[in-house]
Amino acid sequence: SSLVDVWIALQDIELNGERNRGIYVLKSRGMKSSNQVREFVITDKGIEMVEMVIGPNGVLIGSARKAYELERLKEELSRKHAIERKNKEIERRKNILDNQIRRLTSEFEMEKEALNSEEAEDRRIAQIKEEHRKEMMKGRKTR
C-alpha cells in the first residue's frame, strides 16, 4: 500500500433483489477524493457513471433510482397540471367578471339614458307650461 498513490475499488452491490456495480476511491495519497460509492454501468459505448440520486432513505441505485426518478417526474407533471388548471380557472373567472362588468355598464348606461330622457321631457313640459302661461298672460292683457 505504500507504493500505490490511489486505490480504486469496484464493488458488487446487492440491493432490492438486483446486483449493481459500484466504484469508489479506497485510498488516495496527497489529494482529496470523494468517499462516496458511485454506480456505474457497462454499455456498448464503454463504462458510464450514473448520476447519483439521493432519496429520502439515502443513495438510490438500479431500479430503485429509476422508480424514484419516475415518481419525481409524476409529481412534477402533477404540479404542472395543477398550475394549468388554476390558470384556466383564473381565466374563466376573469371572463365571468368581464361579462358582469359589461352587463353592469350596459345597465348603467340604459338608466342614464332613461334619466336623461326624463329630464329632457321635464324641460319640454316646463317649456310648454311657460309658453302656455305666457299665452294666457297675453290673452288677459289684451282684454
Side-chain angles (χ1 to χ4, degrees):
S1 72
S2 62
L3 298 175
V4 177
D5 285 333
V6 178
W7 274 12
I8 297 176
L10 301 175
Q11 179 180 23
D12 271 341
I13 303 169
E14 291 186 32
L15 189 65
N16 296 330
E18 64 183 13
R19 268 189 18 216
N20 295 290
R21 296 174 183 93
I23 187 170
Y24 64 97
V25 176
L26 183 65
K27 176 184 175 185
S28 176
R29 186 185 309 169
M31 66 179 99
K32 291 185 177 181
S33 62
S34 173
N35 61 353
Q36 295 176 334
V37 177
R38 297 286 307 270
E39 182 182 6
F40 70 94
V41 292
I42 300 172
T43 67
D44 294 340
K45 297 177 183 177
I47 295 174
E48 293 181 11
M49 300 299 290
V50 176
E51 185 75 29
M52 188 167 51
V53 176
I54 300 175
N57 298 325
V59 176
L60 301 174
I61 59 173
S63 61
R65 175 182 41 81
K66 289 179 182 177
Y68 180 75
E69 289 173 342
L70 180 62
E71 189 62 33
R72 298 289 300 224
L73 180 62
K74 284 172 31 181
E75 288 173 4
E76 183 179 334
L77 287 174
S78 178
R79 280 192 306 269
K80 284 182 182 178
H81 286 289
I83 289 171
E84 286 176 11
R85 280 193 306 273
K86 287 179 183 178
N87 282 334
K88 286 179 182 177
E89 177 65 19
I90 287 172
E91 187 64 29
R92 187 182 69 77
R93 289 176 65 191
K94 180 185 177 294
N95 289 338
I96 289 171
L97 288 173
D98 287 343
N99 289 336
Q100 286 177 340
I101 289 170
R102 280 193 292 276
R103 182 182 53 81
L104 290 171
T105 302
S106 176
E107 288 174 6
F108 173 76
E109 291 298 324
M110 286 174 41
E111 287 180 24
K112 188 176 171 183
E113 271 184 43
L115 181 61
N116 288 341
S117 293
E118 285 179 28
E119 287 177 341
E121 189 173 332
D122 285 349
R123 282 192 301 272
R124 279 194 301 268
I125 290 172
Q127 185 180 7
I128 290 170
K129 283 182 180 178
E130 182 63 25
E131 288 173 3
H132 186 27
R133 187 184 66 79
K134 286 180 182 176
E135 288 287 325
M136 285 177 61
M137 292 295 279
K138 278 185 191 177
R140 286 185 185 162
K141 287 183 184 177
T142 56
R143 289 186 189 173

